[in-house]
Amino acid sequence: MGVPASTPHNRACYAGWDAGLSRCMNRPMTNSEPAGSAAPTVGSRDQDRGPAHPRAILAIILVSYFLILLDNSVIFTGLPSIASAMDLDAAGLSWVQDAYTLVFGGLLLLGARLGDILGRRRVFVAGLAVFVGASFLIGVAPTGWWLIAARAVQGVGAAVVAPSALSLLTASFAEGRPRSRAVAWYAATAGIGASLGLLVGGAAAQWISWRAGFFINVPIGIAMAVLAPRYLPTSRPQPGRFDLPGALGATVGVGALVFGIIESADRGWADPVVLISLVAAAVVLIGLVLHERGAGQPIMPLQLFGDRRRWGAYAARALYLGAMMGFFFFTTQLMQVGLGFTPFQAGLGFLPMTVVNFAVATVLPRIARRLGEARTLVAGVALTLAGMAWLAQVEGSTAYLTGVGLPMVLIGAGQGLAFAPLTSFGIAGVRREDAGAASGLVNTAHQLGMATGLALLVAVSAGAGDVVAQVSIALGWGAGLLAVCLLVVVAVIAPRQRRHPVTTSVNPTRRTAPS
């Protein structure tokens, strides 16, 4: 069981992170709570002591998560080379990314719940093996259909690894400073993964081959899969039956929604295929909600939406990632087509954002302790909005430094401040047995936001003329998404918070089985 934050041991833990997390978290926790004490939450230990190797645990989780983020963006700078090598038309080329996104988004809730039911470490390693194997198949793909199929398989592995990584992190580090620090590094990985993926993909495409970006995953992923059983904590599988109807409903419903959104970019929102997909998604997801009300072990526990911080964080994350996906997609085109950058130079062009993002994320726990997580989130979204609005003013004569580089500094600072609070609020107060489901919803909001945002921005900028005009319009709309995101944060999340970190809400009358 977890130790309350008021105990001397936890005060020493939180105060002594920088002086030695390993020594602090190795001390055994007490297990003397009375039978009617609070139910365990995500901050509780799966065993009666903290992680023996916290740095190793964090490194394995973050490196594995980074591999997913890398492949989410490495494909962008390699698309022209892939089209030429595989003789793919525009529709076929779009499915190189869409196959991954569709499967990833559709299976996230299922992948998340598998970790709760079968054991998080076991499922994490299995998902990593699938992801790495698919990366190798992509690297050796002889034809377009092989490549697209392997990308879909890679999406299966990613749908397991992404929520498992977050649930393992939240189960391994106690509420308070240890958790805040770990989530800050997780958020930094999320923030810089996309831009570093563009850099790696650009370098590989220009100097080696687009295949090299996928081969990188293989040795690193194998190393993480070998180290995971040694260092990651175990979790006891939950007793009971698997929610098969819920799993099918979540997969089909979210998959149909993602498919409709993806197809809307090319077909338009009024196309019959798009409308049928969206209507089917709505019907299936409504049926899923009705089913989950009575399910014994629901794949999507509805109580996760009972806290306004959590559902506000899901909505804000979707809006934020919709804007950021458009930023990466259109700014890459701006630099390569509008400014004449090579793929590698375009990757380097994102460094102002990446460096600032990383620097801010490393000091984020101190900022959050001073301002509170809600105010930190407000500041992060506001800075990102300012940078996006500035970048949207780009014209054909715009210089990189003043029109792109400096706005990226604001966007990087905003990402560094926003991602960790968005993640913390998305898992705040979650019971331990629902850790995977909550992590799945965080990642589902992430993926749906990316797919929806990009489809919207592509649609509104399609008839604008040259690339620079398209970028300006798309990023202007991206700034609009961030403005709505800021409104959600201020109106829904911030009113619940004061100048203290996100805490765990508990139910003092209910006990739950360990996961």
Side-chain angles (χ1 to χ4, degrees):
M1 299 289 291
V3 177
S6 59
T7 63
H9 168 68
N10 264 21
R11 285 199 299 268
C13 268
Y14 301 158
W17 175 281
D18 296 318
L21 174 63
S22 299
R23 171 179 56 80
C24 185
M25 295 190 73
N26 276 335
R27 179 173 176 179
M29 294 187 181
T30 63
N31 194 27
S32 58
E33 291 92 331
S37 63
T41 63
V42 166
S44 305
R45 297 281 70 77
D46 288 324
Q47 298 174 342
D48 286 336
R49 63 186 215 163
H53 303 281
R55 291 182 180 86
I57 291 173
L58 191 59
I60 292 169
I61 291 172
L62 295 186
V63 170
S64 301
Y65 183 48
F66 178 77
L67 293 181
I68 295 173
L69 296 165
L70 182 70
D71 272 11
N72 237 345
S73 57
V74 74
I75 199 74
F76 282 138
T77 44
L79 284 177
S81 300
I82 292 173
S84 176
M86 297 293 178
D87 194 24
L88 292 172
D89 58 16
L93 193 62
S94 68
W95 275 105
V96 173
Q97 176 64 16
D98 293 346
Y100 178 84
T101 303
L102 177 62
V103 175
F104 188 9
L107 294 179
L108 267 170
L109 292 178
L110 173 60
R113 206 52 171 168
L114 285 176
D116 289 338
I117 294 175
L118 302 179
R120 298 185 190 110
R121 186 178 72 181
R122 179 188 307 166
V123 169
F124 176 81
V125 173
L128 197 56
V130 172
F131 185 84
V132 170
S135 295
F136 177 79
L137 293 176
I138 293 169
V140 299
T143 61
W145 69 262
W146 178 306
L147 173 62
I148 293 171
R151 284 285 284 170
V153 175
Q154 194 179 44
V156 175
V160 174
V161 173
S164 297
L166 182 55
S167 60
L168 280 165
L169 184 147
T170 55
S172 298
F173 295 95
E175 287 278 3
R177 190 173 296 183
R179 171 79 61 75
S180 297
R181 191 78 160 192
V183 169
W185 281 103
Y186 179 91
T189 303
I192 68 176
S195 52
L196 284 184
L198 292 170
L199 178 61
V200 171
Q206 184 171 338
W207 293 330
I208 309 174
S209 166
W210 65 267
R211 300 174 187 271
F214 294 96
F215 282 132
I216 290 172
N217 288 340
V218 177
I220 300 175
I222 290 174
M224 295 303 102
V226 170
L227 292 173
R230 179 176 179 181
Y231 292 107
L232 294 183
T234 59
S235 62
R236 290 190 293 272
Q238 290 185 19
R241 294 185 303 172
F242 184 67
D243 180 19
L244 183 58
L248 291 174
T251 302
V252 173
V254 175
L257 179 59
V258 173
F259 177 80
I261 292 169
I262 289 173
E263 287 297 299
S264 69
D266 293 327
R267 297 173 178 267
W269 293 101
D271 185 84
V273 172
V274 174
L275 292 177
I276 290 172
S277 298
L278 296 179
V279 170
V283 171
V284 173
L285 291 175
I286 291 172
L288 173 65
V289 171
L290 296 176
H291 166 77
E292 296 296 273
R293 287 181 176 179
Q297 283 187 302
I299 197 169
M300 186 182 67
L302 297 183
Q303 66 263 27
L304 292 176
F305 298 95
D307 188 323
R308 63 186 293 175
R309 296 175 301 173
R310 288 197 294 268
W311 67 258
Y314 302 149
R317 193 179 192 93
L319 290 163
Y320 192 91
L321 265 297
M324 291 310 303
M325 185 63 173
F327 161 75
F328 284 113
F329 182 82
F330 285 99
T331 306
T332 301
Q333 294 185 59
L334 171 66
M335 287 190 283
Q336 292 193 52
V337 180
L339 302 181
F341 287 15
T342 66
F344 179 65
Q345 289 172 333
L348 286 176
F350 285 96
L351 281 181
M353 183 196 71
T354 305
V355 172
V356 173
N357 186 346
F358 183 80
V360 171
T362 57
V363 298
L364 178 62
R366 299 177 189 176
I367 297 174
R369 287 195 301 273
R370 181 180 296 271
L371 298 180
E373 296 225 49
R375 292 181 180 178
T376 302
L377 178 56
V378 170
V381 177
L383 281 173
T384 310
L385 170 58
M388 191 79 75
W390 184 354
L391 186 56
Q393 306 307 309
V394 65
E395 298 177 347
S397 59
T398 298
Y400 168 79
L401 178 61
T402 56
V404 181
L406 291 179
M408 280 190 183
V409 171
L410 293 180
I411 293 173
Q415 276 198 129
L417 292 174
F419 264 123
L422 280 175
T423 303
S424 295
F425 286 120
I427 58 176
V430 174
R431 297 179 182 279
R432 187 171 58 184
E433 72 274 18
D434 291 331
S439 302
L441 282 171
V442 168
N443 282 282
T444 299
H446 195 107
Q447 290 300 313
L448 287 179
M450 288 170 59
T452 306
L454 184 57
L456 173 64
L457 299 184
V458 167
V460 298
S461 62
D466 63 10
V467 169
V468 175
Q470 291 177 6
V471 170
S472 179
I473 292 174
L475 296 185
W477 277 73
L481 292 177
L482 289 170
V484 178
C485 175
L486 183 60
L487 179 62
V488 170
V489 171
V490 171
V492 178
I493 300 175
R496 290 284 298 265
Q497 296 300 303
R498 298 292 184 266
R499 292 169 62 89
H500 56 72
V502 175
T503 56
T504 302
S505 61
V506 295
N507 184 340
T509 63
R510 178 183 171 189
R511 292 184 64 84
T512 55
S515 55

